[in-house]
Amino acid sequence: QLQLQESGPGLVKPSGTLSLTCSVSGGSVSSPSYFWGWIRQPPGKGLEWIGNIYFNGNTYYSPSLKSRVTVSVDTSKNQFSLKLSSLTAADTAVYYCARYSASYFESWGQGTLVTVSS
Amino acid sequence: QSALTQPPSASGSPGQSVTISCTGTSNDVGGYDYVSWYQQHPGKAPKLVIYEVTKRPSGVPYRFSASKSGNTASLTVSRLQAEDEADYYCLSYIGGNSWVFGGGTKLTVL
């Protein structure tokens, strides 16, 4: 059974960079059948798509975040990662990683709260 | 790309049916048959309940159905149960390998 687990610092400083990793078990990030993605949800608000990555490293980002986002994949560790730079309080959110199949996010991690504060 | 438009709230009594709408444009909802719906209980990760406009994943009750007309997609929950109380989000492909969520609808079972 596929499992995804986010990990990373829960508190980051304004103007800094958020770095999160999603560890995948029960499936392979090297599979050509899927994309791997990041989604976030500010407290009390809705979901926002951040970006996806394919096993070959091709990336696709939300236009509103594109200038600050980098998603990468490490097939040797069966992980993929998110970096978001130039942080402000508006980036405080629960960050989810997920597996994307064809046209939908079929499996999600439990999410991790990242707070941007000094 | 702005979020797709969903009503902030919807409600119904046990046993009734409720329909939640998701309105976009011809560049997203109306342009592709790639609309999916997610159920999110408080403090939990979203769960896929509908994909590709009308398809139901294995394990999702038949009470969940969906459709699309023009630029508006709809999710219907029939025979409401207490466990259906949750937030519901739509997601649409918008081209260029990009996606956009709806603003979310809080479904209350009265």
Side-chain angles (χ1 to χ4, degrees):
Chain A
Q1 181 180 354
L2 180 72
Q3 291 190 329
L4 302 100
Q5 179 68 58
E6 306 88 350
S7 61
L11 179 65
V12 289
K13 295 187 184 302
S15 76
T17 297
L18 171 162
S19 295
L20 295 176
T21 296
C22 183
S23 298
V24 179
S25 58
S28 173
V29 298
S30 299
S31 171
S33 300
Y34 304 104
F35 288 79
W36 304 90
W38 290 96
I39 302 101
R40 71 179 181 178
Q41 184 173 35
K45 296 188 178 181
L47 300 168
E48 180 182 19
W49 173 67
I50 299 171
N52 289 359
I53 189 165
Y54 197 42
F55 80 102
N56 60 3
N58 286 352
T59 51
Y60 310 93
Y61 300 136
S62 167
S64 64
L65 296 171
K66 186 174 184 177
S67 63
R68 300 194 291 132
V69 173
T70 302
V71 178
S72 58
V73 63
D74 187 336
T75 55
S76 67
K77 294 182 178 179
N78 212 29
Q79 297 174 336
F80 62 104
S81 299
L82 168 70
K83 291 188 185 297
L84 181 65
S85 62
S86 303
L87 295 171
T88 69
D91 294 310
T92 293
V94 174
Y95 285 77
Y96 295 100
C97 61
R99 187 170 78 175
Y100 185 88
S101 175
S103 65
Y104 49 92
F105 292 101
E106 60 171 20
S107 298
W108 297 62
Q110 65 184 25
T112 187
L113 175 63
V114 178
T115 301
V116 180
S117 176
S118 56
Chain B
Q1 174 73 37
S2 300
L4 305 173
T5 301
Q6 296 182 233
S9 63
S11 63
S13 300
Q16 291 186 332
S17 294
V18 172
T19 297
I20 298 169
S21 62
C22 170
T23 301
T25 70
S26 58
N27 295 320
D28 39 63
V29 174
Y32 307 94
D33 286 335
Y34 293 143
V35 177
S36 50
W37 289 89
Y38 302 83
Q39 176 193 61
Q40 185 180 36
H41 288 109
K44 301 295 186 181
K47 172 192 171 185
L48 178 71
V49 293
I50 294 287
Y51 67 99
E52 292 174 2
V53 181
T54 61
K55 300 176 181 178
R56 194 173 45 254
S58 172
V60 173
Y62 289 100
R63 302 183 295 102
F64 289 83
S65 62
S67 63
K68 189 183 81 168
S69 178
N71 298 333
T72 298
S74 298
L75 172 71
T76 297
V77 185
S78 304
R79 300 183 297 283
L80 273 174
Q81 299 182 2
E83 66 203 52
D84 300 329
E85 184 162 297
D87 294 327
Y88 292 84
Y89 294 91
C90 59
L91 173 71
S92 176
Y93 183 64
I94 61 172
N97 286 299
S98 294
W99 291 264
V100 66
F101 282 97
T105 298
K106 181 178 180 59
L107 174 59
T108 300
V109 180
L110 302 171

